[in-house]
Amino acid sequence: MTDALVPILVATLAAGTPLVFAALGELVAEKSGVLNLGVEGMMLCGAIAGFAATAATGSATAGMLAGVAAGAATALVFAVLTLTLQANQVAAGLALSIFGVGLSAFAGKPFESIALTAPQAFAIPVLSGIPVLGPVLFAQQPLVYLSWALFGLVSWFLYRTRAGLVLRAVGESPVSANAIGYPVIGIRYLATLFGGAMAGVGGAFLSVIYTPMWAENMTAGRGWIALALVVFATWRPGRVLAGAYLFGGVTIAQFFAQGAGAAIPSQLLSSLPYLATIAVLVLISRNPNVIRLNAPVSLGKSYHPDS
Amino acid sequence: MQRPPAAAPPRLSLRGIRKAYPSVVANDGIDLDVAPGEIHAVLGENGAGKSTLMKIIYGVAKPDAGELRWAGRPVEIANPHAARALGIGMVFQHFSLFETLTVTENVALALDGARDLAALARRIQDVSQRYGLPLDPRRLVHSLSVGERQRVEIVRCLLQAPQLLIMDEPTSVLTPQAVGKLFETLRQLAAEGCSILYISHKLDEIKALCTMATVLRAGRVSGTCDPRRETASSMARMMIGKDLPVSAHAEAAAGGEPRLVVAGLSQKADDPFGTDLDDVHLTVHAGEIVGIAGVSGNGQQELLYALSGEAPLAEPVPIRLLGAEVGRMHPGRRRKLGLGFVPEERLGRGAVPNMSLAENALLTAHRAGEMVRVGLVRAARTTAFARDCIERFTVKCGGPEAEARSLSGGNLQKFIVGREVLQAPKVLVVAQPTWGVDVGAAAFIRQSLIDLRNRGTAILVVSEELDELFEICDRIAVIAKGRLSPAKRTRETNVEEIGIWMSGLWPGAHADAMPAPTGMSHAPD
């Protein structure tokens, strides 16, 4: 039994990892009050940039760095539009998503028939020898470990550091933050760029490591799920992590069900991860007090220091 | 550059400060000198330019022209960080607090270099105890009442050990005893060399505390004086350019029928940091004004929510409006019976910020003003009502189509009170009728409440300003720790007695009184 379980759990963690990156990045951006609906587009730009860089150099690390750069660059476009030019965040974010889909499809044409070899997993000595847990948790891709580090870092940053406190304050009330003397726009720029960079890594992980190939629109709505995760996790990193792995788990489970020839239309099965994740998150996030305490009050609202 | 050699330069000196906004010149050629250790009052009506001037000093706004000198040196205060680096602290009139953060986190944000939150929490507790401003550092700001929020602002400033402290209406939410204590604190700070810029509308406070006053009118300095040598009315004249209207208040005619009766209302607060109401009894008769005094956070919010219907009760019995049991009714049905309500928060609860005044009038006055027919809005009537309200209550604004948010606090309050008064309610519940409103407008609002009473309306006023309650109320009760004292005829009591009652010590109060949730069970001293 456990022998069958290990590959399922390993695959679950891998399937959830792109979401962990993208959603934690978006969480930080939203905590500063910036609602960037362009996660899907930023992930796709990260995916094609990462794939192209890895295909050219053969290095997965180069691919990830390219993903970071591409994600941050698309986020920069969004930041200039919404933070400097005061465009509406919802409209600009939707536009960014559509733009990212198109741009990545165009740039990805020459790469469609190329296949990469996924880099080897990295087994941590000793720890990976633990039965069941060892191979599941400690024989993963380096990037999976990195996503855990990111989770710890984001949690620590938001709730234990002064900079994180300032970031939350900016998302809570930019007017008050400005009155006390914090550079609201600058802080929001940084948070938005971080969100973009993480979405880019999530995308590059998909195209370089998870399914080492490029296909048009290969994120298949994961960017939107990442956005939903952040909201339904009521802006708390722990719940984002749990939601991402829940999505990963159901994704893998439905693959196995399809493989086993379950008598359910495959389209329905493919939609299960999205349905299950949203349903569970909606159920656990019904407490209005929790939402009130964690939701950034100024989310999605433009702010200009002089107005 | 010549300076008199002997005299120390003023700590802060302003010369010819001018600041213009697109629609108004807020400051025009302002000169101001504050000596070290001086408590300097800045007087003026709403819109006189006080707030803009303070923003310039604190680095939030940049002057178009003029010069700031700090201890004799010309300085440019580019932002609040720079202001704090010089040693300027400010208590804001519109609080600059973050609702979802704790008191400690809020304070940490304004202190440059405060990193150890646990140590900071202890410092907050020390300072708050020393200055009689009880605060629990762990509480989240959104659960604090307006008065408690102001305490956070004051404590935040005191922690910065400033050389110049700007205080904008700091006493409006304190008990008389606490005001006395704060004044001791401020005098002590001044004696230690800290200069204080004190903005207030309360002329007797300024007389008692300040040694120098600069009076602003319409963006210009209209005079300077030594408040100790002036009378309240002479300063008011400098401020508004004419004599202060005095509200005419005759004794209420006895024998009106009881219109609002609260009979043994007990309710647990929804909010974990709220105050539970404990067996509240209250009767308001036709043709009288009953006041509820008390330090904020003692159950006022909960009582007002229960009375307005925003938090309907489990059972209908404890609240009777004109004989009907309304405890379970929502606000719309209570209004239909003849209840008018003016909440504490003007923007968001009393008015929708982004809607025009006409639309805001429609929201509560659609019945009385017959503004809706078969579900359609009768725009002409709505606009006419709003225009009428603007004219009769002298609301300064851009007309019925002006957005509610574009009005100054005092003018919006006049509009909201006017909107309710014009509907001739049978019962009117008003919270903080003159919070942050300048003297002229406050006197006007009080007078219109008295006039409404004279026409037979039963009025309940919840206020933290004792002077106001003594001016307009026929009877006064005190709320403390969720319990309400008996209402006493205003002429048979005095400020000292009510002040003692505000600590929960009235005859017949439970001896085993629970300490208040914020730990403000300090006896008056």
Side-chain angles (χ1 to χ4, degrees):
Chain A
M1 181 63 210
T2 52
D3 287 350
L5 209 58
V6 167
I8 294 182
L9 289 177
V10 170
T12 293
L13 291 190
T17 299
L19 282 180
V20 174
F21 279 110
L24 284 176
E26 177 69 11
L27 174 85
V28 170
E30 289 193 11
K31 270 290 187 187
S32 81
V34 177
L35 178 65
N36 186 350
L37 293 181
V39 180
E40 180 86 358
M42 299 188 298
M43 280 183 89
L44 279 168
C45 288
I48 184 57
F51 188 86
T54 308
T57 63
S59 153
T61 312
M64 293 307 131
L65 292 178
V68 166
T74 22
L76 183 64
V77 174
F78 176 82
V80 170
L81 285 175
T82 59
L83 300 178
T84 303
L85 303 176
Q86 304 282 308
N88 180 298
Q89 294 185 8
V90 171
L94 290 172
L96 186 68
S97 264
I98 297 165
F99 170 72
V101 170
L103 180 71
S104 63
F106 173 70
K109 271 282 171 231
F111 297 96
E112 274 180 344
S113 52
I114 300 175
L116 295 178
T117 41
Q120 284 293 308
F122 176 76
I124 299 174
V126 187
L127 285 178
S128 57
I130 305 170
V132 187
L133 276 186
V136 172
L137 293 180
F138 304 112
Q140 288 283 3
Q141 291 288 339
L143 225 57
V144 174
Y145 307 132
L146 258 179
S147 74
W148 299 340
L150 179 72
F151 163 71
L153 201 72
V154 166
S155 308
W156 173 79
F157 170 78
L158 281 179
Y159 297 104
R160 289 281 179 275
T161 69
R162 184 181 174 81
L165 180 61
V166 171
L167 180 97
R168 285 188 288 145
V170 166
E172 162 78 29
S173 170
V175 178
S176 298
N178 181 57
I180 298 182
Y182 291 107
V184 172
I185 299 294
I187 289 166
R188 287 189 164 179
Y189 254 96
L190 291 178
T192 308
L193 290 184
F194 176 79
M198 290 306 109
V201 175
F205 180 87
L206 266 181
S207 66
V208 176
I209 294 167
Y210 186 65
T211 51
M213 49 162 268
W214 166 254
E216 198 178 315
N217 205 5
M218 69 179 299
T219 49
R222 281 183 178 81
W224 300 108
I225 281 290
L227 273 168
L229 270 181
V230 175
V231 175
F232 290 119
T234 55
W235 295 271
R236 283 182 295 177
R239 289 191 167 190
V240 165
L241 193 71
Y245 288 138
L246 176 74
F247 179 85
V250 182
T251 307
I252 298 306
Q254 59 94 11
F255 274 140
F256 276 80
Q258 283 189 31
I264 305 172
S266 66
Q267 292 86 347
L268 202 60
L269 280 173
S270 304
S271 70
L272 259 188
Y274 302 90
L275 279 176
T277 309
I278 297 298
V280 169
L281 287 169
V282 167
L283 286 179
I284 60 172
S285 66
R286 280 172 310 171
N287 185 341
N289 263 341
V290 173
I291 295 173
R292 191 170 149 206
L293 283 183
N294 289 285
V297 177
S298 72
L299 184 62
K301 290 179 194 144
S302 292
Y303 171 73
H304 196 264
D306 293 340
S307 60
Chain B
M1 178 68 70
Q2 262 188 331
R3 218 187 291 146
R11 177 148 298 155
L12 177 74
S13 174
L14 305 183
R15 285 292 171 269
I17 295 292
R18 181 187 161 88
K19 175 76 184 175
Y21 289 107
S23 58
V24 66
V25 180
N27 287 158
D28 193 3
I30 306 263
D31 294 345
L32 180 77
D33 286 306
V34 188
E38 178 180 67
I39 306 183
H40 192 123
V42 177
L43 267 170
E45 289 197 290
N46 280 352
K50 299 179 311 254
S51 297
T52 305
L53 189 63
M54 295 310 125
K55 278 187 185 165
I56 288 171
I57 297 174
Y58 197 57
V60 180
K62 281 196 183 59
D64 300 333
E67 188 184 45
L68 284 96
R69 286 166 165 271
W70 181 257
R73 281 183 302 114
V75 287
E76 232 176 89
I77 303 176
N79 55 47
H81 274 299
R84 284 200 297 271
L86 286 174
I88 301 175
M90 176 158 179
V91 174
F92 292 93
Q93 182 184 8
H94 301 289
F95 305 137
S96 60
L97 298 176
F98 304 97
E99 304 232 329
T100 61
L101 306 181
T102 65
V103 171
T104 313
E105 289 172 330
N106 267 286
V107 173
L109 279 168
L111 288 184
D112 304 323
R115 286 174 204 277
D116 182 355
L117 290 186
L120 183 62
R122 281 193 298 278
R123 281 176 62 204
I124 292 171
Q125 233 150 10
D126 285 350
V127 169
S128 68
Q129 303 236 307
R130 184 143 45 97
Y131 296 124
L133 303 158
L135 263 185
D136 182 347
R138 291 161 304 171
R139 281 184 62 179
L140 293 166
V141 166
H142 80 85
S143 71
L144 301 181
S145 66
V146 179
E148 290 166 308
R149 287 172 197 215
Q150 190 169 41
R151 280 184 224 151
V152 180
E153 292 261 353
I154 295 176
V155 168
R156 178 158 82 178
C157 268
L158 293 181
L159 277 168
Q160 298 171 28
Q163 286 194 289
L164 171 69
L165 187 59
I166 306 172
M167 303 204 94
D168 201 349
E169 299 269 349
T171 61
S172 45
V173 290
L174 305 175
T175 63
Q177 286 82 3
V179 168
K181 217 165 174 178
L182 178 72
F183 282 9
E184 278 171 36
T185 309
L186 294 181
R187 288 197 191 98
Q188 190 192 333
L189 277 168
E192 289 164 6
C194 176
S195 307
I196 294 167
L197 266 176
Y198 190 90
I199 302 163
S200 178
H201 304 301
K202 293 184 187 167
L203 299 167
D204 15 331
E205 274 184 7
I206 286 174
K207 266 181 74 62
L209 181 71
C210 304
T211 52
M212 189 64 201
T214 298
V215 187
L216 300 186
R217 196 197 312 155
R220 293 165 175 276
V221 175
S222 66
T224 54
C225 62
D226 181 345
R228 291 167 298 185
R229 295 205 205 109
E230 301 284 328
T231 63
S233 54
S234 68
M235 284 194 285
R237 212 172 304 129
M238 260 196 254
M239 196 162 106
I240 57 180
K242 58 184 186 231
D243 283 319
L244 193 60
V246 181
S247 60
H249 186 213
E251 183 82 346
E257 85 272 10
R259 286 208 171 154
L260 176 67
V261 179
V262 182
L265 168 63
S266 295
Q267 198 180 17
K268 277 238 169 286
D270 277 343
D271 190 322
F273 297 112
T275 306
D276 300 337
L277 294 176
D278 181 8
D279 197 27
V280 171
H281 289 267
L282 173 74
T283 305
V284 188
H285 300 89
E288 73 166 347
I289 301 180
V290 175
I292 295 183
V295 177
S296 68
N298 272 289
Q300 288 97 328
Q301 283 193 27
E302 289 78 5
L303 180 61
L304 286 167
Y305 269 97
L307 289 178
S308 72
E310 287 161 282
L313 307 176
E315 45 190 327
V317 198
I319 302 179
R320 279 197 292 279
L321 189 66
L322 306 159
E325 292 175 349
V326 298
R328 297 185 58 177
M329 288 186 189
H330 60 76
R333 291 181 62 198
R334 293 188 201 198
R335 279 188 179 273
K336 208 170 170 183
L337 286 173
L339 176 72
F341 181 59
V342 178
E344 182 178 342
E345 301 94 345
R346 276 155 222 162
L347 283 176
R349 222 170 130 209
V352 184
N354 294 337
M355 282 192 178
S356 72
L357 293 181
E359 287 166 324
N360 271 298
L362 173 81
L363 289 177
T364 74
H366 59 94
R367 277 187 206 91
E370 294 177 350
M371 296 175 191
V372 177
R373 187 168 50 194
V374 291
L376 299 176
V377 174
R378 302 162 84 177
R381 269 172 187 264
T382 310
T383 312
F385 182 94
R387 187 167 289 128
D388 188 30
C389 184
I390 290 165
E391 273 167 23
R392 283 167 62 177
F393 285 78
T394 56
V395 180
K396 281 181 208 151
C397 66
E401 299 311 320
E403 280 189 358
R405 68 190 309 161
S406 69
L407 272 65
S408 74
N411 278 307
L412 185 59
Q413 183 71 354
K414 282 206 267 186
F415 181 81
I416 293 172
V417 170
R419 177 182 72 183
E420 301 300 317
V421 166
L422 287 183
Q423 298 174 48
K426 297 198 170 66
V427 176
L428 180 63
V429 176
V430 190
Q432 312 291 1
T434 57
W435 173 286
V437 174
D438 61 73
V439 271
F444 185 89
I445 288 172
R446 287 175 194 144
Q447 186 59 49
S448 54
L449 290 178
I450 291 169
D451 294 345
L452 187 67
R453 177 207 74 164
N454 292 343
R455 294 198 292 272
T457 299
I459 301 178
L460 180 69
V461 177
V462 177
S463 174
E464 289 166 12
E465 302 215 28
L466 279 187
D467 297 346
E468 169 171 279
L469 293 175
F470 273 89
E471 189 184 327
I472 64 173
C473 294
D474 301 300
R475 291 189 297 143
I476 295 182
V478 173
I479 192 165
K481 298 159 202 163
R483 288 176 295 115
L484 190 70
S485 77
K488 201 157 180 185
R489 287 171 64 85
T490 308
R491 294 178 188 213
E492 292 162 9
T493 184
N494 54 46
V495 172
E496 285 70 35
E497 186 183 33
I498 295 296
I500 291 168
W501 284 20
M502 280 159 82
S503 307
L505 307 168
W506 57 79
H510 299 278
D512 59 336
M514 294 267 294
T518 48
M520 50 194 165
S521 53
H522 62 291
D525 44 7

